[in-house]
Amino acid sequence: MILEMKVPSPGESIKEVEIATWLVKDGDYVEKDQAIAEVDSDKATLELPAEMSGVITLKAEEGDTVAVGAVVCLIDTDAAKPAGSGSAAPAAETPKAEAPKAEAPKAEAPKAEPVQAPAATSYAAGTPSPAARKILDEKNIAPATVTGTGKGGRITKDDAVNAVPSMGTPTGGSRGTERTKLSMLRRKVAERLVSAKNETAMLTTFNEVNMTPINQIRNEYKDAFKAKHGGLGLGYMSFFTKAVTRALQLYPDVNSMMDGDYKIAYDFADISIAVSGPKGLMVPVVRNAELLTFRGIEAEIKRLALRARDGQITVDDMTGGTFTITNGGVFGSMLSTPIINPPQSGILGMHNIIERPIAVNGKVEIHPMMYVALSYDHRIIDGRESVGFLVAVKEALENPLELLMNGDAKRALEL
C-alpha cells in the first residue's frame, strides 16, 4: 500500500509551511514515528514524523513552500525492510591460485631533459626602453613593479602596455559570497519587526537599577534555593518578572493592546520571555505569571528555554503574551531600544550589569548597575504610564524584600 503523507496543521492560523530539512533520503526505509523532516512555519520549527514504516519517496524539495494538507512524500508500506547489519555474511569463496603473471618488459628510463639555465641578470634588468618608460610614466607605474621580458630582463613596450597600475588593494584574501534563503521563521520575524516599526508610535524610555539588593538576596539564598528545588537556579528573571507583573497591575494600560479603534485590556499577565534557540530568537510565554512564585517562574522559564534549545518549542508555547521581557545583557549589551513584539504594547529590555560609581546619601559608592529600557506604543500608552511603569519596576528591583517578598525572603522562596 502506498501511503500519502500530508502536512499536518501546526496551528489554527497557519496555512503553509516550508520544508527546512529532509532528515532522510529518497528511497530510504523509515520506521513509524521516525522524524523524517523539519518544517518551518512562521512561528516555529516542527518535526514531521513518519506515519507508517516503509520505503519513502520524497515529493518536495528542501526550501519548498507547501500548503497545509499537501502531499510531501509517499511511503510504500509493503516494501521489505532491508537486512540488518547482523545478518550472516556470505561464505567466503576458496581463493583460487593465481596464474603466474608474465613479467612485463621493463620500460626504458626516460632521458633527462636538459635543464635550461636561468637567464643571467644584467644591468638592463628592470630598465625600461624609452618607449616603455613613456607609457609607464603616463600610467604612473613605477618600473620596479614591472617584470621585464626583454633581453637581460629589460622592460619592453609590450610589458609597459600590459602593466596594470596597483591600487593598493590587499590581495590573497578570500572574497567569496554566499546567497542563502532565509527560513520562513526568520522571514516572519523580519516582517513583524518592520511592521512594528512602521505601524506603531514606538518610543523608548530609560532608567537604571541598583542591583545590590537582589545580589544580596541571591548570594544569601541561592544555594538553599537550589538544594530545596532540585537544582533550580535563583536567577534574575524571576525578580524581573515579579517586578513587571506588579507594575502591570499599577499601570494596566501597559498591559493592553490596540485592535483597530478599540483597546483590549487584560486582567492577567502572560509574560513573553525572549530566549535564544538554534533557529534564532524565540519568545515563549509564561502564562499567568502574576500568580506564580519565584520557584514557579524559574521552573517555567527553564522548561521553555530547554524546549527552545532542543527545537521542541511549539506554536502554542509562543502564542499570546501581553508583555515581553528581553535580556540583551547576557550577550554583553549595555543599552538598547528593544522593538515591540506586536500586537503587544510594551517590552522591557534588560542589559549587562556593570559596577559604576553612584551617589548614595551624599557619598560616592560603587554598585552593580543595570540600564533598563521600556519601549512602548505611544498610541495607547502615555508618558505618565510609561515612565511610571518603569519607575515602579526600578523601585521593586531596588527593594525586592518589601515589594516582591512581603518582607519574608525565605517564605517567598519557599525555603
Side-chain angles (χ1 to χ4, degrees):
M1 182 181 76
I2 303 298
L3 171 70
E4 293 183 339
M5 272 201 58
K6 301 178 180 180
V7 178
S9 175
E12 185 176 346
S13 62
I14 298 175
K15 304 301 182 184
E16 61 183 17
V17 298
E18 183 177 284
I19 305 298
T21 307
W22 281 110
L23 304 178
V24 295
K25 298 193 293 288
D26 195 53
D28 282 357
Y29 187 91
V30 297
E31 299 284 356
K32 183 180 179 181
D33 296 328
Q34 175 186 344
I36 60 174
E38 290 182 351
V39 295
D40 282 343
S41 71
D42 58 9
K43 294 183 179 179
T45 298
L46 307 171
E47 286 189 346
L48 186 65
E51 296 176 7
M52 296 291 288
S53 299
V55 173
I56 192 167
T57 302
L58 308 184
K59 291 296 184 181
E61 301 289 337
E62 290 184 358
D64 286 355
T65 299
V66 294
V68 170
V71 176
V72 289
C73 65
L74 306 176
I75 298 180
D76 183 359
T77 59
D78 296 329
K81 183 176 181 179
S85 57
S87 59
E93 294 183 5
T94 304
K96 297 180 180 179
E98 293 187 3
K101 295 180 180 178
E103 188 175 343
K106 293 183 180 180
E108 292 185 7
K111 295 181 180 180
E113 294 281 344
V115 179
Q116 186 173 357
T121 59
S122 69
Y123 70 92
T127 302
S129 66
R133 180 177 292 280
K134 181 180 179 182
I135 295 173
L136 292 177
D137 288 343
E138 291 174 352
K139 290 186 174 183
N140 197 25
I141 299 176
T145 63
V146 180
T147 302
T149 60
K151 185 176 181 180
R154 191 177 185 87
I155 299 174
T156 66
K157 180 180 178 181
D158 287 342
D159 295 333
V161 170
N162 296 327
V164 178
S166 172
M167 302 303 293
T169 302
T171 58
S174 173
R175 294 177 57 80
T177 60
E178 182 181 7
R179 179 184 173 92
T180 57
K181 186 178 181 180
L182 295 175
S183 68
M184 181 177 284
L185 176 61
R186 176 51 59 184
R187 296 199 304 270
K188 188 63 177 180
V189 168
E191 178 186 324
R192 286 167 60 86
L193 292 178
V194 172
S195 173
K197 293 284 285 185
N198 293 338
E199 298 177 10
T200 65
M202 194 171 72
L203 192 63
T204 305
T205 184
F206 304 93
N207 216 315
E208 61 179 358
V209 176
N210 185 347
M211 300 296 289
T212 298
I214 291 179
N215 284 349
Q216 290 173 344
I217 292 175
R218 292 182 68 242
N219 290 337
E220 184 175 355
Y221 296 109
K222 65 180 179 180
D223 292 338
F225 187 87
K226 189 172 185 178
K228 178 68 180 293
H229 302 303
L232 196 63
L234 179 60
Y236 290 112
M237 286 304 302
S238 54
F239 288 92
F240 273 81
T241 303
K242 296 288 282 185
V244 163
T245 57
R246 173 182 176 273
L248 289 175
Q249 292 173 346
L250 296 174
Y251 297 93
D253 279 352
V254 183
N255 199 38
S256 59
M257 300 179 187
M258 289 282 293
D259 183 17
D261 294 333
Y262 294 86
K263 178 180 77 172
I264 301 176
Y266 300 94
D267 62 357
F268 56 88
D270 283 356
I271 306 299
S272 304
I273 306 291
V275 298
S276 181
K279 296 289 184 179
L281 189 68
M282 305 285 184
V283 194
V285 181
V286 177
R287 312 284 179 185
N288 285 108
E290 79 282 3
L291 303 179
L292 297 179
T293 62
F294 282 84
R295 180 189 63 81
I297 293 172
E298 292 290 354
E300 183 65 1
I301 291 175
K302 181 179 180 180
R303 182 186 73 85
L304 293 170
L306 289 176
R307 287 176 64 82
R309 184 198 67 187
D310 297 338
Q312 298 176 345
I313 206 79
T314 66
V315 174
D316 289 340
D317 289 330
M318 296 188 292
T319 300
T322 61
F323 187 88
T324 296
I325 301 176
T326 179
N327 185 6
V330 297
F331 304 111
S333 172
M334 185 184 75
L335 191 62
S336 67
T337 55
I339 298 179
I340 295 170
N341 181 20
Q344 299 173 17
S345 299
I347 178 171
L348 180 73
M350 301 166 56
H351 301 90
N352 62 354
I353 301 172
I354 297 178
E355 289 192 344
R356 295 199 306 270
I358 62 172
V360 179
N361 298 324
K363 296 181 180 179
V364 176
E365 297 181 5
I366 296 178
H367 286 269
M369 304 296 295
M370 175 193 286
Y371 289 122
V372 289
L374 173 70
S375 293
Y376 59 98
D377 189 345
H378 211 340
R379 296 177 303 166
I380 197 170
I381 303 171
D382 291 331
R384 173 185 171 275
E385 282 73 26
S386 61
V387 174
F389 173 89
L390 196 57
V391 169
V393 170
K394 171 184 169 69
E395 291 173 346
L397 295 172
E398 293 185 339
N399 189 9
L401 185 61
E402 297 299 325
L403 298 181
L404 301 180
M405 296 178 163
N406 294 322
D408 190 342
K410 286 188 175 181
R411 184 174 181 180
L413 299 176
E414 303 174 58
L415 300 179

